[in-house]
């Protein structure tokens, strides 16, 4: 079996590749933003000796009298908002709820009462339901859910009160930065190339084979464990590599960009997509096609 | 990152499982209602010192180093912004010995840890007052030396570790466990402060470059 090895090489700064520059005021912690005391201080700043000083690294945003520093680096954690679709992994099973890891600062919560019962029944959850919780979702399971509410400390409460949410079966998970997932009307996409994708707002992207029939009774609990065909597997692997290459080149993820990237990658072998030069080429082509489509 | 000399440090931070900033699990009684708890763990790799160490955790030097790191970062991080949370900083110095006769110039573990941890905390987006830049200094033969190497440390002279917040010039931690005449203290302190400021220039440049790149890619 032939193997290819490469020595680590310094990454070319992407700003050169894109040939763009920023006009924003960039700061690092300790920098003085302004000595004018007329401003209100927002996130990322603190007052020290009559000067407004930055406490995170980022760009200064000014809205009328409010100055805050928006940290690019902080956006690697997901901040929940009501109505977002997220994909999460169960970390704990507690008394009447599950703790879900959604790449945010605090673990999210899925209450038992926010979960659909099998068969879609509507009734009060009893003690037996509580004891049977582990039968529904165990530690390590992946679920898709929607954000119901956000607590004051930033923790997020999820719900799966619809048949399209629930436990996820066979597929591939890609973890990306939440800032790269574009907000759209729907995050569940059935791509024409033969696979489906869920773009979680928290940065978890789930790629899975398109189910042939939508099972109404299951309510999202019974995962589909039928064997996945080779062609489907290849499509899913290629999609996964495309997503990874888009993310490395810091492009926004949405159904059109993933689809264009998939089409641009067809001439290459699946494993070649992860090579840096092939990645650049594919993403460049995707960028051009997207620009053409917009303009 | 590596400092002049060959001490290299690796700092672990954000990852979905070992989150740097997370809600306190386990002993909730330790949670502070109005501030975040800063927890620093120092663990040396088994190959990091001259002899291979079997127990890298829990020994006195690791505990003391962890405590010093914690004191340094409690002074720098704005903990009031994250009540009832815990900030974990795990530092692991990597230091290889090239040959038995010539020991690598690899002193200054505390300084390397602090500088690496500053970058980690910054990268995690945790609000800090300022960078924390550290350097060691000593006094040998009437001269103040900054950033001591292993050989200089082993010579047995007084050694000072200084952690500085460069913008305001405030000292986060100053530690020495030897005897030094107070007349010399000023020189040694000045040497350490100057070296720390030099480190700050370097870190500052790197962080600005990183933020610049991030802003181009994301900020449109």
């Amino acid at each position: 079996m032939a193997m290819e090895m490469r020595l680590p090489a310094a990454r070319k700064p992407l700003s050169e590749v894109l040939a763009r520059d920023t006009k924003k005021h960039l700061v690092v912690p300790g920098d003085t933003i302004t000595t004018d005391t007329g401003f209100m201080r927002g996130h990322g700043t603190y007052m020290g000796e009559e000067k407004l000083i930055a406490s995170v690294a980022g760009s200064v945003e000014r809205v009328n009298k409010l100055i805050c520093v928006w940290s690019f680096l902080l956006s690697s954690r997901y901040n929940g908002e009501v109505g977002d679709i997220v994909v999460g992994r169960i970390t704990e099973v507690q008394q009447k709820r599950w703790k879900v890891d959604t790449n945010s600062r605090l673990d999210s919560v899925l209450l038992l009462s926010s979960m659909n019962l099998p068969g879609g029944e509507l009734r009060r959850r009893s003690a037996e339901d509580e004891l049977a919780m582990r039968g529904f979702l165990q530690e390590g399971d992946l679920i898709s859910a929607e954000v119901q509410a956000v607590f004051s400390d930033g923790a997020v409460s999820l719900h799966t009160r619809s048949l399209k949410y629930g436990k996820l079966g066979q597929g591939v998970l890609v973890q990306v930065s939440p800032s790269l997932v574009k907000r759209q009307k729907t995050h569940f996409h059935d791509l024409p190339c033969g696979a489906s994708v869920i773009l979680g707002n928290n940065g978890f992207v789930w790629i899975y084979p398109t189910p042939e029939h939508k099972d109404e009774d299951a309510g999202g609990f019974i995962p589909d464990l039928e064997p996945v065909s080779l062609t489907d597997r290849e499509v899913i692997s290629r999609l996964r590599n495309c997503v990874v290459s888009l993310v490395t080149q810091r492009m926004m993820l949405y159904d059109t960009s993933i689809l264009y990237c998939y089409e641009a990658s067809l001439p290459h072998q699946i494993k070649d997509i992860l090579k840096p030069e092939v990645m650049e080429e594919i993403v460049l082509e995707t960028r051009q096609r997207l620009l053409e489509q917009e303009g | 990152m590596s400092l002049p000399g060959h001490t290299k440090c690796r700092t672990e931070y954000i990852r979905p499982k070992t989150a740097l900033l997370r809600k306190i699990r386990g002993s909730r009684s330790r949670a502070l209602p109005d501030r975040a708890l800063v927890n620093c763990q120092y663990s040396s790799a088994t190959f990091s010192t001259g002899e291979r160490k079997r127990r890298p955790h829990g020994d006195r030097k690791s505990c003391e180093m962890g405590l010093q790191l914690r004191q340094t970062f409690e002074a720098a991080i704005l903990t009031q912004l994250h009540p009832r949370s815990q900030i974990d900083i795990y530092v692991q110095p990597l230091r290889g010995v090239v040959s038995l006769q010539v020991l690598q110039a690899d002193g200054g573990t505390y300084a390397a840890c602090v500088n690496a941890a500053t970058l980690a905390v910054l990268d995690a987006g945790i609000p800090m007052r300022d960078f924390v830049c550290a350097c060691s200094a000593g006094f040998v033969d009437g001269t103040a030396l900054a950033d001591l190497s292993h050989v200089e440390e082993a010579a047995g002279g007084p050694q000072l570790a200084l952690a500085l917040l460069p913008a305001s010039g405030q000292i986060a931690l100053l530690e020495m466990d030897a005897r030094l005449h107070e007349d010399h203290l000023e020189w040694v302190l000045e040497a350490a402060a100057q070296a720390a400021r030099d480190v700050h220039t370097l870190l500052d440049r790197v962080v600005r470059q990183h933020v610049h790149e991030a802003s181009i890619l994301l900020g449109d």
Side-chain angles (χ1 to χ4, degrees):
Chain A
M1 191 176 81
M3 272 207 305
E4 200 186 290
M5 290 169 75
R6 282 168 191 246
L7 291 174
R11 195 165 55 94
K12 222 173 23 176
L14 285 165
S15 45
E16 278 176 26
V17 175
L18 296 178
R20 277 187 276 179
D21 206 0
T22 183
K23 296 176 193 57
K24 300 202 179 160
H25 179 198
L26 300 173
V27 287
V28 294
D31 272 0
T32 310
I33 303 174
T34 177
T35 44
D36 188 355
T37 47
F39 289 107
M40 288 196 293
R41 52 184 183 82
H43 290 299
T45 63
Y46 70 97
M47 192 63 97
E49 299 164 25
E50 300 199 5
K51 290 187 293 188
L52 203 60
I53 306 181
S55 61
V56 288
S59 69
V60 178
E61 308 276 331
R62 213 197 103 198
V63 180
N64 297 334
K65 283 273 183 196
L66 178 71
I67 289 197
C68 63
V69 180
W70 194 69
S71 164
F72 305 111
L73 306 167
L74 187 59
S75 56
S76 60
R77 286 268 159 198
Y78 169 60
N79 290 317
E81 295 191 17
V82 180
D84 281 351
I85 312 279
V86 295
V87 170
R89 202 179 277 275
I90 309 286
T91 51
E92 277 178 54
V93 180
Q94 293 183 346
Q95 266 202 320
K96 275 203 185 70
R97 59 197 187 162
W98 288 275
K99 287 283 179 150
V100 183
D101 167 34
T102 50
N103 195 22
S104 42
R105 290 210 307 270
L106 298 169
D107 275 346
S108 307
V109 155
L110 175 64
L111 297 173
L112 178 58
S113 48
S114 314
M115 169 70 114
N116 263 346
L117 289 171
E121 306 169 53
L122 296 172
R123 59 176 167 81
R124 221 186 149 95
R125 308 301 188 266
S126 62
E128 284 132 14
D129 287 320
E130 222 179 294
L131 294 170
M133 271 175 82
R134 202 163 277 252
F136 297 155
L137 293 175
Q138 280 200 321
E139 286 92 338
D141 284 345
L142 274 172
I143 55 159
S144 67
E146 191 179 323
V147 175
Q148 187 178 38
V150 180
F151 297 125
S152 56
D153 54 3
V156 147
S157 171
L158 303 172
H159 77 89
T160 56
R161 300 304 292 266
S162 168
L163 291 172
K164 56 181 179 173
Y165 306 124
K167 184 150 78 166
L168 298 173
Q170 301 184 74
V172 171
L173 182 72
V174 187
Q175 293 176 348
V176 310
S177 165
S179 49
L180 289 173
V181 179
K182 190 167 180 177
R183 269 181 203 276
Q184 289 184 290
K185 273 230 276 288
T186 168
H187 289 257
F188 290 79
H189 302 285
D190 282 338
L191 298 175
C193 45
S196 302
V197 70
I198 303 180
L199 295 166
N201 284 98
N202 61 332
F204 283 16
V205 176
W206 176 251
I207 310 171
Y208 61 109
T210 314
E212 273 117 34
H213 51 274
K214 305 281 182 190
D215 211 337
E216 293 296 325
D217 299 340
F221 276 116
I222 303 173
D224 188 8
L225 290 174
E226 283 172 22
V228 180
S229 67
L230 184 62
T231 41
D232 278 346
R233 279 176 204 265
E234 286 184 351
V235 168
I236 292 176
S237 314
R238 193 177 277 275
L239 274 173
R240 184 253 176 206
N241 284 353
C242 287
V243 170
V244 167
S245 53
L246 285 171
V247 162
T248 324
Q249 302 285 319
R250 308 295 274 183
M251 271 204 73
M252 293 293 272
L253 285 177
Y254 51 109
D255 53 348
T256 323
S257 69
I258 297 180
L259 193 59
Y260 285 176
C261 194
Y262 178 85
E263 286 167 10
S265 74
L266 283 172
H268 303 276
Q269 278 204 329
I270 300 177
K271 56 187 162 105
D272 287 340
I273 303 175
L274 293 175
K275 292 187 190 162
E277 57 276 359
V278 177
M279 224 187 256
E280 274 175 31
E281 186 195 318
I282 293 175
V283 176
L284 200 62
E285 201 183 312
T286 315
R287 241 187 257 276
Q288 282 171 341
R289 265 185 84 176
L290 286 170
L291 281 174
E292 278 167 34
Q293 193 216 24
E294 283 166 34
Chain B
M1 64 158 280
S2 66
L3 285 192
H6 298 277
T7 306
K8 289 183 168 61
C9 253
R10 185 182 71 193
T11 327
E12 276 214 3
Y13 56 106
I14 303 170
R15 221 162 280 172
K17 298 293 183 296
T18 59
L20 180 52
L21 173 65
R22 58 160 203 228
K23 202 167 189 176
I24 293 205
R25 302 200 182 113
S27 54
R28 282 173 208 275
S29 56
R30 275 195 304 150
L32 300 165
D34 58 337
R35 298 191 284 130
L37 193 71
V38 179
N39 176 31
C40 294
Q41 295 263 3
Y42 172 94
S43 88
S44 37
T46 48
F47 50 82
S48 67
T49 51
E51 324 98 44
R52 197 181 161 85
K53 256 203 317 209
R54 275 305 175 81
R55 275 205 46 178
H57 309 281
D59 63 324
R60 186 148 355 135
K61 182 165 168 262
S62 303
C63 284
E64 194 186 319
M65 193 66 92
L67 191 63
Q68 286 179 0
L69 286 171
R70 184 162 79 87
Q71 284 173 338
T72 316
F73 281 97
E74 262 180 9
I77 297 178
L78 295 170
T79 48
Q80 276 85 6
L81 296 174
H82 296 289
R84 293 189 354 258
S85 299
Q86 176 171 308
I87 302 175
D88 289 333
I89 305 177
Y90 295 106
V91 194
Q92 187 178 39
L94 306 167
R95 200 163 60 182
V97 175
V98 172
S99 77
L100 287 176
Q101 276 107 17
V102 180
L103 289 176
Q104 280 199 323
D106 56 359
T109 340
Y110 168 75
C113 292
V114 166
N115 294 326
T118 299
L119 286 179
V121 172
L122 216 128
D123 205 48
I126 295 179
M128 284 206 295
R129 260 187 207 98
D130 194 357
F131 281 85
V132 188
C133 302
C135 197
S136 57
F139 195 78
V140 173
D141 280 349
T143 335
L145 299 175
D147 193 23
L148 302 172
S149 67
H150 187 88
V151 175
E152 288 160 353
E153 274 181 6
Q159 295 159 41
L160 188 102
L162 173 75
L164 194 70
L165 298 169
S168 46
Q170 291 172 347
I171 297 179
L173 185 122
L174 179 61
E175 191 249 349
M176 181 170 76
D177 53 1
R179 275 197 293 203
L180 181 69
H181 197 286
E182 67 173 308
D183 291 344
H184 302 312
L185 180 64
E186 197 194 317
W187 301 117
V188 177
L189 208 56
E190 182 51 43
Q194 184 54 45
R197 278 191 281 268
D198 291 337
V199 171
H200 169 68
T201 321
L202 190 68
L203 293 182
D204 192 81
R205 192 179 67 205
V206 168
V207 172
R208 270 184 216 278
Q209 200 176 14
H210 188 67
V211 171
H212 181 79
E213 198 171 298
S215 86
I216 289 181
L217 294 169
L218 285 179
D220 291 338

